[in-house]
Amino acid sequence: MEQTVRMPTNATRSRPTPARPHFLPMPAEGDGGVFTQSWFPVALSTEVVADQVLGCDFLDGKIVLFRAPDGSARAMSAYCPHVGADLSVGRVVDGRVQCAFHHWEYDADGVCVKTGIGDPPPKSACLFVFPVQERFGIVWVFNGEEPLFDLPQLPYADDALLMSAYRFGQTLNCDPWVFAANTPDMQHLKVVHKIKFEADEPHELVQWHDFGLEFSYRGLHQGDVPIANTAGILGTSVFYRWGMYDGFWRCNVTGYGLPRPGQHNVFSCSIVLAGPDAQEQLESVLAVSRRTVGEDKDILNTIHYRQGLLTRADKSLARFLTYIRKYPRAHPSAGFIN
């Protein structure tokens, strides 16, 4: 009986021999005991209530937030230098944080000014006080003694705007800079978020500076909605975007918090110009913002981010990954927050 010989298909014959790709590892937050020096969101403004102490996980430890007598938000290390009690289970007394254990009290500058038993406070009894900004309905804390850069300045005054801030409910399983890397990732913007750039080479639009990047572009968003945006990244954890969307001006300022190494929380503020249609426009911007985070959620929860086999479409992403590897890192609060 004659046998039929099956020849391999062209696909089988031309398939290259698989080779293990070379991955360039990225520095993780907390490697070597240090973290990127950036502004990180830690709470919504509405969560920091007068005369109450709020505990928040931050970096590799814990901090407390409260409002000083002038109403400003303050962020300090969470553990009392007496014997280490957690100040988040304490309370605010006369504008000071009172430890629940022995009633030592710390003023808005983190200095112990009173002990429950009446002994004079030790001169070195103080907490680490972080730089804080409260903007866009969000409380931001800087990892460092002095900020290296400011939060974004919008092209309109706050009193000309309508804002709404929210926290995405789920903690995502990667460092904050991984979400930030989506902004210069042009392949990602095109494939996942369906942005059609007017420019053939959007990489040429990107302007770089010491603490981030910014680029302005025109194109179409999902559903062929016309957009004219300015977008940028500050530090390793702040994203902003403003410009025209479907005929009206909109803005989003989004921060990626760092509750512990290898995880982040998303805080975002949607913004439109005040006016008769502002509330309807704001609802539209909020919906797009939530949809965008939702499109990225499963990717961010499962990625093991490494710099692998990039193509020419990754020109801006490659430069951003180099920026992350060289970014300043420190942990001056290490002896206080854990």
Side-chain angles (χ1 to χ4, degrees):
M1 181 176 178
E2 186 174 332
Q3 293 183 335
T4 301
V5 178
R6 295 186 179 274
M7 296 296 293
T9 64
N10 287 336
T12 302
R13 285 202 305 265
S14 62
R15 185 176 184 273
T17 302
R20 182 178 178 84
H22 171 70
F23 287 113
L24 185 61
M26 298 297 300
E29 293 285 8
D31 277 1
V34 293
F35 296 82
T36 54
Q37 294 193 266
S38 189
W39 286 104
F40 295 99
V42 292
L44 296 174
S45 292
T46 53
E47 295 175 308
V48 187
V49 180
D51 298 325
Q52 294 185 21
V53 185
L54 177 66
C56 298
D57 292 330
F58 184 52
L59 305 179
D60 57 353
K62 191 172 185 178
I63 62 175
V64 290
L65 306 179
F66 77 106
R67 293 201 178 277
D70 63 1
S72 62
R74 301 298 177 97
M76 306 187 300
S77 52
Y79 297 107
C80 180
H82 181 206
V83 293
D86 185 346
L87 296 173
S88 70
V89 300
R91 59 178 183 153
V92 176
V93 176
D94 297 329
R96 302 185 293 266
V97 174
Q98 184 188 80
C99 178
F101 201 5
H102 300 99
H103 287 193
W104 288 28
E105 295 181 11
Y106 298 87
D107 65 14
D109 295 319
V111 177
C112 183
V113 295
K114 183 180 179 181
T115 66
I117 202 69
D119 289 345
K123 292 183 179 180
S124 59
C126 60
L127 307 172
F128 187 92
V129 178
F130 293 86
V132 172
Q133 287 199 61
E134 188 171 5
R135 293 195 62 201
F136 315 114
I138 299 168
V139 178
W140 309 75
V141 173
F142 191 85
N143 171 33
E145 297 181 275
E146 296 291 338
L148 300 178
F149 59 91
D150 199 2
L151 291 171
Q153 300 296 319
L154 305 188
Y156 296 98
D158 286 0
D159 58 8
L161 303 170
L162 181 64
M163 304 185 184
S164 181
Y166 73 93
R167 179 208 297 256
F168 187 70
Q170 184 177 344
T171 297
L172 302 177
N173 294 317
C174 60
D175 283 331
W177 67 263
V178 176
F179 208 154
N182 284 354
T183 297
D185 185 346
M186 303 302 176
Q187 289 199 54
H188 170 83
L189 297 179
K190 293 177 180 179
V191 174
V192 175
H193 301 306
K194 306 297 189 292
I195 292 178
K196 301 173 184 176
F197 290 101
E198 185 178 278
D200 292 334
E201 288 292 337
H203 306 286
E204 303 306 317
L205 305 175
V206 181
Q207 303 295 314
W208 297 85
H209 52 83
D210 288 345
F211 297 105
L213 63 99
E214 181 177 285
F215 65 109
S216 298
Y217 61 92
R218 294 178 178 271
L220 298 173
H221 202 194
Q222 295 179 29
D224 289 337
V225 175
I227 53 177
N229 281 340
T230 293
I233 294 293
L234 288 170
T236 62
S237 54
V238 183
F239 163 77
Y240 62 90
R241 171 185 59 204
W242 59 69
M244 299 303 294
Y245 178 87
D246 201 18
F248 66 91
W249 187 88
R250 62 91 189 253
C251 173
N252 291 98
V253 178
T254 301
Y256 312 120
L258 182 50
R260 61 191 61 85
Q263 294 188 344
H264 75 272
N265 296 319
V266 179
F267 294 78
S268 188
C269 184
S270 295
I271 307 168
V272 297
L273 287 170
D277 299 321
Q279 190 60 50
E280 181 181 351
Q281 293 170 351
L282 186 62
E283 292 299 323
S284 172
V285 177
L286 278 165
V288 172
S289 175
R290 291 181 181 275
R291 182 187 73 194
T292 301
V293 176
E295 290 167 348
D296 287 325
K297 172 177 66 68
D298 290 342
I299 299 168
L300 296 170
N301 264 334
T302 55
I303 194 167
H304 291 187
Y305 210 113
R306 300 162 292 185
Q307 184 170 339
L309 304 174
L310 304 186
T311 73
R312 65 180 182 178
D314 295 311
K315 180 179 178 181
S316 298
L317 175 61
R319 181 163 177 176
F320 184 76
L321 297 181
T322 298
Y323 161 86
I324 290 294
R325 282 192 290 270
K326 295 180 178 179
Y327 195 84
R329 298 164 189 269
H331 194 358
S333 64
F336 296 84
I337 68 171
N338 46 36

